[in-house]
Structures are given as structure tokens and as C-alpha cells.
Amino acid sequence: MSRLSSRATPWLAIAAMAWCALVQPVHATTSITHPAQFLDQAEKLRTADHPQFVRMLEQIHQETPRLNASEQWQLRYLDAWETMYEGNYAKSEIAFRDVIDHSGNTILAAKASGLLLNNLALNRRYEEGFALANRLTSDLPSISDPNARFILLTNLSQMLDFAGQIDLAIQYARMAQDIVPRGESLCRPLSMQVAALYNGKRLTSSSPILQQAIDSCSAAREPVFTNVIWLTLGSLYLDENQPDKAMALLDRIAPAIIANHYYPHMLSSQVERAQAYAKLGNDQEARKAALTALAMSHPGDISEWLMTAYDVLYHIEKKNGHNANALSYYEHYVAQSTGNLNDITARTLAYEMAQQHTLVQKLETETLSKQNNILRLEQALDKKAVETSRLYIVLLLVALVSIIYWLFRLKRSQLRFKQLSSLDGLTGILNHQNFMSEADRALHALEKKQGSACLVYVDLDYFKQVNDTHGHAVGDAVLRRTVAICRHHLRPTDLFGRLGGEEFGILLHDCSSHQGMAIADRIRGAIEAASVDGDGSAVSFSASVGLASTNVCGYSLQKLCREADAALYRAKRSGRNRVIANTENGDLVEA
């Protein structure tokens, strides 16, 4: 079975809180007799001293009848921020939309829009999120307030990072770094750059920007951001097989994480601790930390942290010979892994559907950089406002001409994208998402006419060794040869797709369990007999196969996937290069 990285990614936590802390205007602390100033001071303390912020919210709520309309809207905004900080994204989304649509305050609406952008991503509503990102980009030229502009630039950096556009994410973060407004620090732009570099696998534990970001966030008294960067360093230590350093770091920052009581940090620190203990050979403490992480998770959560926790527990139980527990944890691991793969696929497709707008944003990047320079000149040279406005209009016209040009080009490429979006780029067969949707549709049709079908999982054995020994080019040739072999043995009505890595899925239409076993074994035998050329030498390979039949499992795709995966797991554990399927009495048998 193919594996995702066992690393829990602490930078997913920044997607849940970076926008919750983006604007902190500096005002002097006053008594409650001045509500507006009191609210400003509370906003400043959100991440610098979160417990004090919560106490100030409780205090100002007692004075709600005395607040004017503007102050009440600011209080609603801060309440929504706290709701999002606590992890209730659905409730906070409603509040942010209320602020955007009805507050009448453009600056407050810009702040709420940034938070809403992140909320949509966290709730996996990617198409809406990317559409909002494009709208915010188009609004950016009309926003002259330094704080609001700073918010949107950092928001765009985060969203592009989320879509895997690492270079653009870094560029927007550096643009925000160039226009840090009064009362802000370099903490957030540097944090955005660290996030993009980490997700782009361009960061090591010795990268200078890590220490620069830690120093900036510590000096700015931003404990939440500081903890994110520390957790990133801990994850890098684990990636670099330095569990002793990771454990020492986790022990050092534990009091700060407990003090802030921020759920993503509490969860990720427990998972990192479980990984470190496991690498150090302390199975008891590793199990304890992993179970603690699972206990604090929310029902239905899908994340790399939970996937990693289940992976740690699976390997511990397997190591100690507790096969039943190991299988249970493995099933949870597969569910998390599948959920993550589906999420990544959905996110990628949503981004590609908004590609024409994203390309426009690329064209506007240079224009926005010039606009940042204009804003700095406006702040320093108010007497030259008229001249600056004229230059601003010229730049917008240039951007508009460029947008029109690229829109014509993108229109011609949309049809081809729609055709290719359902296929795997390397092998040309269905990708994971489209295979699952087509299989579900086929099973519903078979159920109506009481037909039968078999779901087959094919996983190449020791595929990582092929890549490590002969290189990824030979590995790609093995994958393409496997696809050609499978296609040769399949009928036109059968579905065939790549589930991820070296794993493939086949749905055999109108096929009994016995027939499915025969077809699966022919495929396995043909793969075993095949080879590819690897620098002058023949590279052989084999596959393990798991099969589940509708005659036994019914027509539920979820159950068929679970049973086929369990059969594949048994084939792997029984020595590989074999076919195992469930029988009518629920047992697993080998072909």
C-alpha cells in the first residue's frame, strides 16, 4: 500500500490562525469609559496575550448597551475572531459575512474578508475560496489603507501557498514585507515565507529565515506565531531524523503552547511528540502521546496530524504482535490518507478551474509592487498626491490590457483542461477522484439490475526500492508498463484508475467473485513475468492484489474499498505477489 508522508505538518495550523491575527492597530490602553479605545487595545492583545484578550471581551460585553453602532460592529468582529480561534469555523463564517455585508466599515470589512477567505479553505469550499481570492485581488488597487492592504497581500500569499503556488506565495509575502504599516512587524510576512518554503520542501532546520522569523515574532510578542515556527522546526528535526532535538524543543515550548491553549498547536505538538518517542524507541510514551492527540480531535476530522497518529499506533501494535489492533489503526490510517488525497485533488481541481484569474494575478504582481511603492511615496510625500494618482491610473490601464490579452488565450485552453482534469498525468488512466465517482455511479446502476461486480486493488511490491535503485525514470516506466498490462486483461466496460503512488483500482463489471479472482491472478502473473529496461539491465517487479465482491459486501463503495484494502493488506502481510479476496462467508482466501 502506498504511503503518504508520516510527518504531521504544523504549517496547516497557520491556515487556522494566521488571518485571526493579521491586524493589530496600536492605541493606548484606556478605561472602559472609552469603549472604542478599549476595543482597539483588546484587538492588539489577541495573540500577544490571548487570556487577557478573552477577559477584556467578557468585560466589554457587560457594556454592550452603551456601545454605539460602530463599536458594536467592532465587537462582533472580535467575537468572530475568537470563535475562529477556538476552531468553530462554520459559526465564525456567518459572523464574518455579517460584518462584510452590513457593517458599512470598509476597513473592518477588509479584515473580515481576509478571515472569510481562510474559513472557506478550512471548510473545503475551495471553488468559493479561490473565487473570493480573485475578487480580493481585483479590489486591491482601490484599497489605500495600509493595514487593509497588508491584510490582503498576506491573505493572497496564504491562499496561493494553499494551492501549491509556492513562488507566487513567497512573492506576495515579500510584497507585504515591503509595506509593513505602523504598529505591525515583520513577523507575519516572514511567517508566510517560512510557510511557503516549508510546503515547497525548500526549508531545513538550519535555514537562516527560520531564526529570523523566530526573532521577529518573539520581539513582536506574538506567541502564537512563534509557536508555529517552533513546531515547524520540530517537524524539520523529525524529517532529518533528529528526534532527540525535536523532543528537547517540544519540552521547551510546552508551557507556551499550554498557556495559549490553541487547539491546532496542542494537537500537532502531541503528534510530533509521538513521532519523536517512536523514533527514540519508547513505544509506551509514543502510544500515550498518539492516543492523547486522537482524544482531543473532533469527530469527522481529516488531517495529516491524525493520519500520522494512527500510523504511529499501527506500527507500534504491529511491532508488538497485536495484529487486531494494528489492523484497526491501519484502517483509520487509510481513511485519513484517502481523505487527505481527496482533499488535495479537490483543491487542485478548484485551483485549475480558477486558473485564468490566477494567471491574471501573476500579471498583476509587478503592478501591485509598483503600487506598494506608490503608497509609500504617498505616505511620505502627501504634496505629490495628484501626480501619484495619474501614475496609478496608467498602471491600471497596463494591467487591464494584459488581463484582456491573457483572457483570450485562456479561453482556448479551457476545453483541453476539462478533458484532462479527469485523467492521471503520468499513466493516462482515471485519477483517484474520478475513478471513485465513476465506480460509485456504476455500482448504483448494477444494484438496480441486481448485477455483480468486483473491486480490485493492485499495489506494486517494493516499488520504493525500484525508485531508489534505478531512479524515478525507471519507476515511471514500471508504472506505465503495469497500466499497459492491466489494460490488456480488462474489458471495455471495466473501470481502471490510479489511486495514488503505485496503487491502482479496477472495477470489474458483471463479474462474479470467482471470475474476478481469475482475472486478478492473470494480471498478477503478467506483471510478475514483465520487466523494463533499467540502464541496460532488466528490472523485474511484482504486485499484490486484494479483491472484494458485491456478492459478499453489497453495493456500498465505501465497504467494497474497505474490504479490498483489507484483502490487499493481507496479501502484503502474507508475502506479497499474490491475490487474496473475501469469500461469501466473509473470510479472506488466496488465489
Side-chain angles (χ1 to χ4, degrees):
M1 184 67 64
S2 60
R3 292 285 191 269
L4 291 178
S5 170
S6 63
R7 175 190 66 232
T9 309
W11 269 111
L12 288 180
I14 205 168
M17 54 67 67
W19 316 120
C20 296
L22 270 174
V23 176
Q24 300 178 7
V26 176
H27 295 279
T29 303
T30 65
S31 69
I32 197 65
T33 56
H34 299 88
Q37 295 182 23
F38 186 89
L39 287 166
D40 288 338
Q41 183 63 21
E43 186 172 5
K44 177 182 177 182
L45 294 175
R46 287 176 304 177
T47 55
D49 189 350
H50 182 255
Q52 177 63 17
F53 167 72
V54 173
R55 289 191 291 271
M56 293 180 73
L57 274 188
E58 293 174 353
Q59 185 179 356
I60 192 66
H61 269 289
Q62 298 174 6
E63 306 288 334
T64 300
R66 298 179 49 238
L67 304 182
N68 62 35
S70 176
E71 293 162 350
Q72 289 189 15
W73 279 115
Q74 188 173 2
L75 179 57
R76 291 186 193 181
Y77 168 75
L78 294 179
D79 285 338
W81 183 95
E82 177 61 20
T83 302
M84 187 174 183
Y85 185 90
E86 293 170 353
N88 193 337
Y89 306 124
K91 183 178 179 181
S92 64
E93 178 188 340
I94 296 173
F96 287 134
R97 289 190 184 276
D98 192 27
V99 172
I100 295 167
D101 296 336
H102 304 110
S103 69
N105 184 325
T106 56
I107 305 304
L108 203 60
K111 298 178 188 177
S113 296
L115 291 162
L116 177 59
L117 175 65
N118 188 248
N119 233 328
L120 293 171
L122 291 169
N123 287 321
R124 296 181 171 87
R125 290 155 59 187
Y126 302 126
E127 290 187 13
E128 293 180 60
F130 288 123
L132 177 59
N134 287 329
R135 288 199 298 272
L136 293 177
T137 301
S138 65
D139 291 342
L140 191 57
S142 63
I143 297 175
S144 58
D145 179 81
N147 285 296
R149 193 176 183 83
F150 184 74
I151 291 173
L152 294 184
L153 285 172
T154 44
N155 266 305
L156 290 170
S157 174
Q158 170 66 30
M159 201 64 182
L160 288 167
D161 183 16
F162 197 63
Q165 301 298 307
I166 304 302
D167 292 329
L168 277 175
I170 293 172
Q171 190 166 359
Y172 275 111
R174 287 175 177 168
M175 289 167 63
Q177 182 179 344
D178 290 339
I179 61 159
V180 175
R182 183 185 300 275
E184 276 292 345
S185 71
L186 291 173
C187 174
R188 290 164 186 77
L190 289 176
S191 297
M192 296 302 103
Q193 292 180 56
V194 169
L197 290 169
Y198 181 87
N199 291 330
K201 302 186 185 303
R202 305 178 191 177
L203 201 64
T204 68
S205 60
S206 59
S207 297
I209 194 172
L210 267 175
Q211 191 59 50
Q212 186 182 0
I214 290 171
D215 292 341
S216 296
C217 292
S218 297
R221 297 183 180 180
E222 292 280 9
V224 178
F225 277 94
T226 306
N227 287 340
V228 171
I229 302 170
W230 281 126
L231 287 169
T232 301
L233 180 58
S235 187
L236 288 168
Y237 282 146
L238 291 171
D239 291 344
E240 296 167 3
N241 201 26
Q242 301 184 71
D244 50 342
K245 289 187 177 180
M247 186 63 69
L249 175 61
L250 290 169
D251 289 339
R252 188 166 70 251
I253 66 175
I257 290 176
I258 293 172
N260 282 279
H261 200 68
Y262 182 51
Y263 166 73
H265 292 178
M266 297 172 67
L267 179 61
S268 60
S269 64
Q270 284 295 330
V271 174
E272 285 192 16
R273 191 175 291 274
Q275 290 178 281
Y277 276 127
K279 287 179 178 289
L280 292 170
N282 191 337
D283 290 349
Q284 182 177 356
E285 291 298 326
R287 181 188 290 109
K288 180 180 177 182
L291 290 174
T292 299
L294 295 180
M296 69 173 64
S297 66
H298 302 138
D301 278 359
I302 297 292
S303 73
E304 280 194 65
W305 297 321
L306 298 181
M307 181 182 70
T308 302
Y310 282 121
D311 190 49
V312 169
L313 291 169
Y314 159 68
H315 283 97
I316 291 174
E317 297 299 335
K318 182 178 179 182
K319 175 181 176 182
N320 290 283
H322 303 151
N323 294 332
N325 289 340
L327 181 57
S328 176
Y329 286 132
Y330 182 77
E331 289 177 350
H332 285 293
Y333 167 84
V334 170
Q336 291 288 327
S337 175
T338 302
N340 273 293
L341 283 173
N342 289 341
D343 185 64
I344 292 171
T345 301
R347 191 190 316 164
T348 302
L349 288 175
Y351 174 76
E352 293 296 340
M353 292 300 293
Q355 186 180 28
Q356 62 183 20
H357 297 297
T358 306
L359 289 176
V360 169
Q361 292 174 26
K362 293 181 183 179
L363 295 175
E364 289 180 336
T365 299
E366 181 178 357
T367 301
L368 293 177
S369 296
K370 294 178 180 178
Q371 291 171 8
N372 286 332
N373 292 331
I374 293 171
L375 287 175
R376 287 200 301 270
L377 290 173
E378 286 178 336
Q379 295 169 13
L381 305 171
D382 291 337
K383 296 180 181 179
K384 295 186 178 181
V386 175
E387 179 183 351
T388 302
S389 297
R390 291 174 179 172
L391 177 59
Y392 179 75
I393 292 172
V394 171
L395 292 174
L396 285 179
L397 289 174
V398 171
L400 181 61
V401 171
S402 300
I403 290 170
I404 293 173
Y405 170 75
W406 278 102
L407 284 175
F408 278 115
R409 293 193 58 184
L410 289 171
K411 283 291 183 182
R412 292 181 299 184
S413 66
Q414 283 183 337
L415 183 61
R416 177 169 174 79
F417 164 72
K418 289 180 180 179
Q419 179 183 2
L420 297 177
S421 63
S422 64
L423 303 180
D424 175 64
L426 176 64
T427 61
I429 60 177
L430 292 175
N431 60 28
H432 183 279
Q433 182 181 16
N434 280 277
F435 174 80
M436 288 300 180
S437 62
E438 290 294 325
D440 190 58
R441 187 180 300 110
L443 288 169
H444 282 302
L446 284 170
E447 184 176 14
K448 292 179 181 178
K449 66 177 185 178
Q450 294 298 307
S452 60
C454 294
L455 181 64
V456 180
Y457 275 8
V458 180
D459 192 278
L460 296 179
D461 299 326
Y462 304 110
F463 183 73
K464 184 176 184 300
Q465 293 183 8
V466 174
N467 279 334
D468 293 344
T469 304
H470 302 284
H472 288 279
V474 174
D476 290 347
V478 169
L479 292 174
R480 286 191 290 267
R481 183 64 183 278
T482 301
V483 168
I485 292 171
C486 292
R487 277 178 162 167
H488 179 72
H489 290 84
L490 297 179
R491 300 162 298 178
T493 57
D494 297 330
L495 291 176
F496 184 29
R498 184 181 181 190
L499 303 183
E502 66 273 23
E503 184 179 348
F504 302 90
I506 301 170
L507 184 67
L508 301 172
H509 281 260
D510 296 318
C511 181
S512 66
S513 179
H514 178 74
Q515 294 170 328
M517 287 287 286
I519 295 172
D521 197 56
R522 286 199 296 271
I523 291 174
R524 182 206 58 76
I527 292 173
E528 182 184 14
S531 65
V532 300
D533 180 67
D535 295 331
S537 62
V539 178
S540 300
F541 50 96
S542 64
S544 299
V545 183
L547 181 144
S549 171
T550 57
N551 295 333
V552 177
C553 305
Y555 296 91
S556 169
L557 178 60
Q558 183 177 7
K559 185 173 182 181
L560 283 168
C561 289
R562 184 167 61 251
E563 294 298 328
D565 200 63
L568 177 59
Y569 172 74
R570 180 71 63 85
K572 290 286 188 179
R573 193 176 62 179
S574 301
R576 294 179 169 81
N577 193 20
R578 62 196 64 214
V579 179
I580 289 184
N582 58 347
T583 64
E584 294 183 359
N585 59 10
D587 295 328
L588 297 174
V589 297
E590 180 176 347

